[in-house]
Amino acid sequence: MVLINDTYRHKGLRRQLSVLLKEKGIIDAGVLKAIEAVPRHLFLNSSFIDHAYEDKAFPIGAGQTISRPHTVAFQSELLELKKGEKVLEIGTGSGYQTCVLLEMGVKVFTIERQKELFDKTKLFLPSIGYNPKFYYGDGYKGLPVFAPFDKILITAGAPLIPAPLIEQLKVGGRMVIPIGETTQTMTLIKKLSDKSIEKTEFGEFKFVPLLENKEWGD
Ligand code: SAH
């Protein structure tokens, strides 16, 4: 049993957040249930804690942000997750999105390139009862050793679709990736065969950038 500071007040605020997300168009009941389950206030720095259940992004250190709940819910919904699936997540960050995926009954492999965030989240998530597989490294390369994946989720703005990630997606699998430099178009990629993909675009979003190896050193 994991003891955490999660009160009825927090649970009530999460319920309201899930109602708000429904009003904003999220229909997947599994996603809404996951949003109601994950204690987002524990992922934020204490100065933002009172705002944890507003639909806003917040800084999480190392120049990164925890995505807005609507963005997390929207990306999760596009994945059409089924229990037991193997999901690769690029950009662990605070681990909030990771926990939403885990609540939906999938197995998560998550990669983070910022050492500070990687170390912090790898300690924090198990302390509140969430156990994905954590990897420190460059998400552009994916995790070839554990491929193929049923689903792949990229939680940073990508200038292009990383070819290794398409390779590591199962035929019939789905990848959700925000594509663009300053703002991003949410893009769903379905892998139809070893040689063909289908792309569908869904509105504009704002993410921190997916950084390539050559830009490391910050
Ligand atoms: N899903 C996160 C939001 C993360 S913000 C959450 O819910 O908190 C995007 C994250 O992607 C940042 O932590 C950033 O460091 C990470 N990132 C950027 N480029 C990356 C890369 N090439 N490989 C792995 N992680 C990367």
Side-chain angles (χ1 to χ4, degrees):
M1 166 83 190
V2 184
L3 281 179
I4 54 171
N5 175 23
D6 189 30
T7 65
Y8 281 108
R9 180 173 155 264
H10 293 124
K11 290 188 174 97
L13 290 170
R14 282 206 290 283
R15 172 93 195 112
Q16 284 173 26
L17 175 61
S18 133
V19 170
L20 176 72
L21 296 180
K22 206 169 171 180
E23 284 167 11
K24 291 189 177 184
I26 302 298
I27 51 173
D28 184 327
V31 172
L32 294 169
K33 219 173 133 205
I35 295 279
E36 283 186 40
V38 182
R40 190 172 189 255
H41 61 285
L42 300 178
F43 292 73
L44 299 180
N45 172 311
S46 55
S47 41
F48 302 115
I49 216 156
D50 288 343
H51 305 284
Y53 296 108
E54 293 170 14
D55 189 18
K56 288 184 184 152
F58 292 101
I60 51 171
Q64 306 303 325
T65 54
I66 177 171
S67 302
R68 282 174 58 192
H70 177 258
T71 304
V72 170
F74 195 87
Q75 292 197 286
S76 305
E77 180 165 275
L78 283 180
L79 287 172
E80 292 192 357
L81 297 170
K82 288 174 200 68
K83 285 199 172 43
E85 282 183 336
K86 217 165 112 186
V87 180
L88 174 64
E89 179 192 35
I90 313 298
T92 315
S94 70
Y96 175 70
Q97 167 79 73
T98 317
C99 295
V100 168
L101 298 174
L102 289 169
E103 281 288 346
M104 296 182 70
V106 297
K107 186 164 186 201
V108 184
F109 296 74
T110 186
I111 311 179
E112 174 56 55
R113 69 175 281 281
Q114 292 263 11
K115 188 78 166 73
E116 181 190 334
L117 283 173
F118 169 80
D119 287 340
K120 191 171 161 201
T121 303
K122 190 174 190 275
L123 273 181
F124 173 61
L125 258 50
S127 81
I128 59 165
Y130 292 102
N131 293 289
K133 303 273 183 210
F134 293 97
Y135 298 90
Y136 169 60
D138 181 8
Y140 265 91
K141 299 190 177 77
L143 281 177
V145 178
F146 298 99
F149 297 94
D150 297 294
K151 308 283 161 73
I152 299 182
L153 174 60
I154 290 91
T155 75
L160 47 85
I161 304 168
L165 298 186
I166 296 283
E167 257 166 54
Q168 291 169 36
L169 186 63
K170 268 188 195 164
V171 170
R174 295 176 151 235
M175 178 189 303
V176 173
I177 177 166
I179 302 179
E181 307 270 358
T182 40
T183 63
Q184 292 80 29
T185 305
M186 190 64 78
T187 308
L188 168 66
I189 290 163
K190 290 189 206 166
K191 186 160 171 179
L192 304 178
S193 73
D194 273 331
K195 294 202 166 50
S196 66
I197 57 168
E198 178 188 285
K199 261 205 292 187
T200 317
E201 295 183 342
F202 298 83
E204 293 298 300
F205 286 77
K206 185 109 189 71
F207 284 84
V208 295
L210 183 71
L211 298 174
E212 279 189 87
N213 230 354
K214 58 178 163 54
E215 296 173 61
W216 283 36
D218 53 336

